Amino acid sequence: MLKEKIGSVLLEVQRPSRYCGGEVGQVVKDKAKVDVRFAFCFPDIYDVGMSHLGMKILYARINERENYWCERVFAPWTDMEAVMRREGIPLYALESLDPVKEFDFIGFTLQYEMSYTTILHMLSLAQVPVLQRERGEAIAPLVVAGGPCCCDPEPLADFFDLFILGEGEDVDLELMDLYHTMRDAGATRSAFLRKAAEIPGIYVPSLYDVAYHADGTVQSITPKDGAPAVITKRVMPDLDKAYYPDHVVVPYLEIVHDRVSVEVLRGCIRGCRFCQAGFIYRPFREKSPEVVCRQGKALCDNTGYDELSLSSLSTSDHSGIEEILDGLLAYSEQGHVHLSLPSLRVDNFSESVLKKISAVRKSGLTFAPEAGTQRLRDVINKNVTEEEIMRTCSIAFAAGYTQVKLYFMLGLPTETDEDVLGIAALAQKVVDLFYATPGRAKGRPQVTISTATFVPKPFTPFAFEPQVEKAEILRRQQLLKKAVDPKYIKTSLHVSDVSLVEAVLARGDRRLGAVLYEVWKNGGWLESWEEQFRAERWYDAFAKAGLDPAFYANRIRPYEETEPWAHLNYMVSRSFLIRENRKAHAGETTPSCRQQCAGCGANQCLGGSCF
Amino acid sequence: MTDHRIVFEKTGRARFISHLDLNRCMVRAIRRSGLPAWYTEGFHPHMYLMFPLALSLGTESLCEVMDIRLTEERSPSEILSRLNAVLPEGLHAVEVRTPQDRTQDIEAAEYRVTLTGEALLPLWEQFLAQPEILAEKRTKKGVQTIDLRPLIEAEEAQAEGDHLILALRLPAGNAGNINVSMVTDAFSEFAETPIYVEKLLRTKIFCGNGRLFS
Ligand code: SF4
């Protein structure tokens, strides 16, 4: 009946194929033969969530088990949400079209802070109690989460039964196995949670008491009922042996990243000090070129996609990147498959790599120097020099490229006006270089500067840093804007209160649960979409909870302070992060892991050195 | 190089695939099928694929048509079985032909319409008995008011319980296309009682003088 009801309303909404399932590659099982059902929820709309690689891996991984069934759930866009409420349609999963509340696990992926209120809204649409303490002793449904934001999930502690730290390929199944046994033995929710906390990587927030100092900082985090004092993230030590799907769901509509991806490496050797992904996904592990090629071809053959992305944080850092490209080139030409490398770096971007990609597609180049002067690039350890940027641009211009996009951050630690003006100067040099390049394409170069506001994140050397306040960011933007020649350089200068909210939530504590709840109650959800975000809603909620956003965002956090995530271990040691923070202030760089190990501690899970 | 006209059904959940998305979906299906599709030459080669008549979102069909071009000879039965092995739920190839008619030969299409509501048959008869049925049609030039009455050829109208089942023939193709939902919308408005459109199904495509498009 739910099925018919859904079918009967879909013509009222935009892009109905977001909501009907039935795509090629979806996994449908016989409910009667399934023991445990997992609703994999992405707290954003289909178009965004379907682009997410982690979901594809875990979906296929769980479904490999005959008696477990993983289905997909996305947030409805506002038009569909209104129809669902009008018709009393609860949040449902796309494969079976069954209500999410009937599942054993409701699992969210935490990719960005601005999706948090969407999680509350999806739970409420699912007709599941939003607050963990109101879910009672029945074991199901369990509301769980994984993903990068689990490295400080404290603002969400009130809403989740447990968090899964690190890479989920193995631990998800361990958790489901434990659930299967305990449910069949009649266990309660709290008994299950106590037992689940024994699985490495599983963090059950209700088993920890947090006490605060009078000034609002954390005094202590105390485990209860035998829960471990420290929870360490899970890591798949060997990517060649880690599970990787050879098929994914093929959407009908064009999604944000409409291509298949093969992951070529995990972690990052660079150590850019602002970049959370570069630290929390350590250690650096490569997939061997033949495995990359085999997996990539299988994905294209099985899905019919004509674009294959070689994805990672920094694909050109793969020691066998040329071998991978050579291995895929003939296949890509014959099969009309475009190869894309989403994360090219300027310093090791060689002419031959460029040729191999442009053989199949010419598109604009994007670089992320992040800072306008060498001094500031040294501070953030973005080991990219101006010569390298110029060299790469000149190769690209000579090869016929005209578009260059440059990404920067404003508000980085120690940034001065000189650094801001350096952004304009760098962009102008790129323009001048275009005109000086023999064999360049006709017409004008299109150079774009995009800036984002720096958000300090946990488990980075800048976790101790204050975020620069909005008024000051605005002043720096105006300074930059006046310094560029708009004839040749476009600026896309973004500023909003979103960065502040992100900074608060990223390093937040449990008291922020009340703020999230209040914002959601007042209609805040899908706030990763600018038109859905209302700054006042957040400011009102902070005031109501008696919390000052500046306390979280704009304050220097001393090295001695207990951080809200002090009980979580992401393998990079605190002493390493402090060392890196000191080096940043001294303007000293740290070489890449390939050149020299900086002793971050992440190799502990490999039982040896990374390289 | 050989051209093939594939007749396929688009039913069930597949009615929610828009025309634009259908193209992408078929390109991927043909790639999965391993059929030797021909690609255009040039800087951005793309698979040659042609849909002579679009179907609007939400309408099902038993007679959709798609033309493909292969670089090597393949038998109709092989094309059918390869495609059906890889098509998503709701899309099903039923026949492979050599194209006879051209896109511009298409003039009409027939639909089977299932409506639910109270005592609809007499209302439908009154609806058709009107001297004119004015409706708004969106065109490239903007919204236009047209008279639907001369364009509707009602082949059949039958009441079954609280269902009304219609067979309608409407103009289709480049010369002027009338979506079947325009007729059901106009009828709903006329009837002033809740009418629920249970199903819209395209059953046939015609050339001029009532010959089936082939
Ligand atoms: S242990 Fe050394 S080589 Fe490995 S990730 Fe950390 S710093 Fe890099």
Side-chain angles (χ1 to χ4, degrees):
Chain A
M1 302 29 35
L2 181 55
K3 235 169 252 189
E4 279 79 59
K5 213 168 183 181
I6 294 165
S8 72
V9 298
L10 286 191
L11 288 176
E12 293 179 40
V13 301
Q14 294 290 311
R15 297 186 158 209
S17 61
R18 282 170 177 164
Y19 308 110
C20 65
E23 309 94 320
V24 159
Q26 74 165 14
V27 179
V28 175
K29 298 193 179 187
D30 177 357
K31 244 192 282 187
K33 293 187 187 140
V34 166
D35 290 317
V36 184
R37 298 182 70 183
F38 194 109
F40 198 124
C41 303
F42 196 101
D44 208 317
I45 62 169
Y46 182 95
D47 317 34
V48 176
M50 278 291 288
S51 303
H52 180 245
L53 179 60
M55 181 178 206
K56 297 177 198 190
I57 298 175
L58 296 172
Y59 177 84
R61 171 75 166 151
I62 295 172
N63 282 324
E64 274 232 309
R65 287 281 285 270
E66 216 178 305
N67 57 335
Y68 294 171
W69 188 9
C70 179
E71 303 186 39
R72 295 161 300 144
V73 183
F74 303 95
W77 185 246
T78 52
D79 57 349
M80 180 61 176
E81 190 256 4
V83 170
M84 286 168 74
R85 282 202 299 187
R86 186 192 73 206
E87 298 289 326
I89 298 173
L91 191 71
Y92 58 89
L94 288 180
E95 280 73 6
S96 62
L97 305 179
D98 284 339
V100 164
K101 62 170 177 254
E102 293 173 7
F103 281 64
D104 300 289
F105 284 89
I106 301 177
F108 286 91
T109 175
L110 309 181
Q111 295 294 319
Y112 30 87
E113 294 80 11
M114 294 318 293
S115 69
Y116 289 178
T117 52
T118 309
I119 294 172
L120 309 201
H121 199 56
M122 286 173 77
L123 286 173
S124 120
L125 284 174
Q127 300 165 1
V128 168
V130 168
L131 291 164
Q132 196 273 342
R133 62 174 175 270
E134 288 173 7
R135 277 180 213 135
E137 272 303 347
I139 192 167
L142 287 158
V143 182
V144 308
C149 294
C150 283
C151 71
D152 177 18
E154 293 304 281
L156 290 167
D158 291 347
F159 313 105
F160 280 91
D161 288 292
L162 60 86
F163 297 101
I164 303 161
L165 311 190
E167 297 167 6
E169 284 96 332
D170 285 348
V171 64
D172 283 9
L173 288 176
E174 290 164 26
L175 191 65
M176 291 172 79
D177 289 343
L178 176 71
Y179 169 85
H180 185 194
T181 318
M182 290 190 73
R183 180 203 56 197
D184 289 358
T188 60
R189 180 180 300 261
S190 49
F192 171 76
L193 290 177
R194 276 196 303 275
K195 198 80 189 146
E198 292 174 16
I199 300 177
I202 299 296
Y203 167 43
V204 178
S206 55
L207 297 182
Y208 296 80
D209 283 328
V210 181
Y212 299 89
H213 290 294
D215 65 2
T217 56
V218 173
Q219 184 178 15
S220 60
I221 303 166
T222 316
K224 297 187 285 200
D225 294 338
V230 173
I231 306 99
T232 304
K233 72 157 179 172
R234 295 289 291 265
V235 172
M236 304 301 293
D238 184 347
L239 288 195
D240 283 346
K241 296 204 185 97
Y243 177 80
Y244 205 76
D246 60 6
H247 203 311
V248 295
V249 181
V250 184
Y252 292 119
L253 56 95
E254 199 171 353
I255 55 172
V256 176
H257 298 295
D258 208 8
R259 57 188 78 100
V260 282
S261 306
V262 55
E263 195 184 16
V264 301
L265 60 85
R266 268 184 207 173
C268 187
I269 57 172
R270 297 286 161 177
C272 302
R273 290 174 180 138
F274 55 86
C275 174
Q276 187 183 43
F279 293 97
I280 64 168
Y281 293 129
R282 287 182 178 210
F284 182 79
R285 290 147 290 159
E286 289 181 352
K287 221 179 246 180
S288 50
E290 60 277 12
V291 176
V292 171
C293 294
R294 172 163 44 78
Q295 292 176 343
K297 287 177 194 171
L299 274 170
C300 290
D301 290 345
N302 292 334
T303 59
Y305 262 102
D306 61 2
E307 186 170 342
L308 172 64
S309 158
L310 301 175
S311 84
S312 76
L313 292 173
S314 182
T315 296
S316 45
D317 279 335
H318 194 293
S319 59
I321 185 64
E322 302 252 352
E323 204 181 319
I324 293 173
L325 289 173
D326 286 341
L328 287 170
L329 206 63
Y331 174 78
S332 114
E333 268 166 13
Q334 257 162 34
H336 299 96
V337 171
H338 308 287
L339 295 181
S340 62
L341 273 69
S343 52
L344 273 185
R345 285 187 53 91
V346 284
D347 52 346
N348 60 1
F349 175 106
S350 70
E351 201 159 352
S352 68
V353 168
L354 180 69
K355 277 212 185 94
K356 280 164 194 155
I357 316 166
S358 68
V360 280
R361 173 171 288 177
K362 284 210 174 180
S363 55
L365 287 182
T366 57
F367 298 126
E370 307 293 1
T373 60
Q374 194 57 46
R375 184 202 71 80
L376 191 53
R377 284 196 293 274
D378 287 348
V379 168
I380 63 174
N381 204 40
K382 184 90 193 185
N383 294 339
V384 161
T385 63
E386 196 171 295
E387 291 96 84
E388 284 163 341
I389 296 171
M390 292 304 145
R391 187 176 55 84
T392 310
C393 285
S394 89
I395 295 171
F397 289 147
Y401 285 74
T402 56
Q403 276 182 39
V404 177
K405 279 193 197 134
L406 300 167
Y407 288 92
F408 296 93
M409 264 184 282
L410 284 180
L412 286 163
T414 79
E415 184 179 67
T416 63
D417 285 359
E418 200 181 314
D419 299 309
V420 176
L421 294 172
I423 295 174
L426 182 61
Q428 188 57 46
K429 279 189 189 149
V430 173
V431 171
D432 297 341
L433 178 74
F434 177 82
Y435 288 109
T437 305
R440 62 168 197 264
K442 278 195 275 287
R444 268 191 203 179
Q446 292 167 276
V447 178
T448 311
I449 297 174
S450 292
T451 66
T453 303
F454 169 63
V455 179
K457 298 275 176 120
F459 294 104
T460 68
F462 289 163
F464 314 97
E465 299 294 330
Q467 184 180 50
V468 173
E469 280 166 40
K470 184 178 158 193
E472 172 59 15
I473 294 285
L474 277 170
R475 189 194 63 81
R476 294 183 196 179
Q477 281 192 349
Q478 287 317 309
L479 187 69
L480 173 58
K481 204 164 182 159
K482 281 196 206 108
V484 299
D485 182 347
K487 223 160 89 194
Y488 302 103
I489 302 168
K490 271 218 310 244
T491 44
S492 147
L493 309 175
H494 203 73
V495 77
S496 100
D497 296 285
V498 170
S499 311
L500 172 68
V501 174
E502 283 173 344
V504 170
L505 295 175
R507 294 180 299 168
D509 56 34
R510 291 188 177 192
R511 296 174 302 169
L512 291 167
V515 173
L516 289 172
Y517 193 83
E518 182 70 13
V519 169
W520 163 67
K521 271 279 165 209
N522 290 321
W525 64 289
L526 280 185
E527 290 186 296
S528 48
W529 296 81
E530 215 170 326
E531 63 264 47
Q532 292 287 104
F533 177 81
R534 301 268 176 290
E536 318 77 65
R537 211 158 33 203
W538 286 91
Y539 289 120
D540 292 348
F542 285 128
K544 198 167 166 197
L547 296 172
D548 177 8
F551 167 81
Y552 295 98
N554 310 116
R555 176 174 69 88
I556 296 176
R557 299 185 182 215
Y559 296 149
E560 319 71 66
E561 188 176 320
T562 302
E563 290 159 328
W565 57 91
H567 51 318
L568 309 183
N569 175 11
Y570 271 68
M571 292 190 178
V572 288
S573 72
R574 218 179 129 69
S575 54
F576 163 76
L577 295 175
I578 292 173
R579 203 158 66 229
E580 280 292 300
N581 183 272
R582 290 204 168 106
K583 283 176 87 177
H585 284 281
E588 286 170 33
T589 60
T590 297
S592 86
C593 294
R594 210 187 279 291
Q595 289 166 277
Q596 191 193 339
C597 172
C600 77
N603 59 327
Q604 60 187 270
C605 63
L606 301 176
S609 60
C610 291
F611 292 91
Chain B
M1 222 117 67
T2 50
D3 285 353
H4 301 273
R5 177 158 291 167
I6 317 249
V7 182
F8 64 97
E9 297 172 350
K10 185 170 183 270
T11 57
R13 289 203 241 198
R15 71 186 184 280
F16 298 118
I17 308 174
S18 72
H19 188 63
L20 200 74
D21 293 345
L22 182 67
N23 187 80
R24 193 169 35 238
C25 165
M26 285 298 190
V27 167
R28 287 175 185 159
I30 293 166
R31 292 175 59 89
R32 289 192 296 271
S33 75
L35 287 168
W38 181 76
Y39 278 74
T40 59
E41 317 278 331
F43 204 60
H44 293 293
H46 60 268
M47 187 188 293
Y48 175 83
L49 199 62
M50 221 258 302
F51 294 87
L53 183 63
L55 181 69
S56 52
L57 194 67
T59 304
E60 298 176 72
S61 175
L62 301 178
C63 58
E64 288 314 282
V65 184
M66 159 178 85
D67 292 348
I68 63 170
R69 183 170 292 170
L70 300 183
T71 57
E72 291 163 33
E73 208 66 49
R74 289 291 185 276
S75 74
S77 64
E78 181 183 347
I79 296 175
L80 269 188
S81 63
R82 278 184 177 268
L83 275 180
N84 282 329
V86 296
L87 281 173
E89 184 185 321
L91 294 177
H92 183 76
V94 289
E95 205 191 323
V96 177
R97 301 182 194 144
T98 307
Q100 304 294 328
D101 299 309
R102 295 162 310 159
T103 302
Q104 55 268 40
D105 297 332
I106 295 176
E107 290 192 1
E110 195 169 294
Y111 301 87
R112 189 180 154 87
V113 177
T114 311
L115 304 174
T116 308
E118 252 171 80
L120 292 182
L121 187 56
L123 277 173
W124 173 255
E125 279 158 2
Q126 288 164 32
F127 173 68
L128 281 190
Q130 299 175 94
E132 58 175 16
I133 301 174
L134 296 183
E136 295 201 326
K137 189 186 176 191
R138 268 175 220 284
T139 63
K140 280 176 206 125
K141 288 176 223 134
V143 181
Q144 230 184 328
T145 302
I146 57 164
D147 181 8
L148 283 179
R149 184 59 200 92
L151 304 177
I152 305 173
E153 274 184 66
E155 309 270 333
E156 213 184 295
Q158 224 180 307
E160 270 179 28
D162 59 356
H163 291 320
L164 175 66
I165 296 166
L166 306 170
L168 302 177
R169 190 182 293 198
L170 301 171
N174 293 344
N177 198 70
I178 299 294
N179 283 342
V180 61
S181 57
M182 277 183 73
V183 178
T184 54
D185 286 351
F187 180 46
S188 285
E189 207 171 295
F190 170 83
E192 288 177 339
T193 138
I195 294 180
Y196 178 60
V197 181
E198 201 79 45
K199 194 177 171 90
L200 302 174
L201 178 72
R202 180 140 83 194
T203 51
K204 288 175 194 135
I205 301 175
F206 297 101
C207 297
N209 59 46
R211 194 168 51 79
L212 281 173
F213 176 71
S214 132

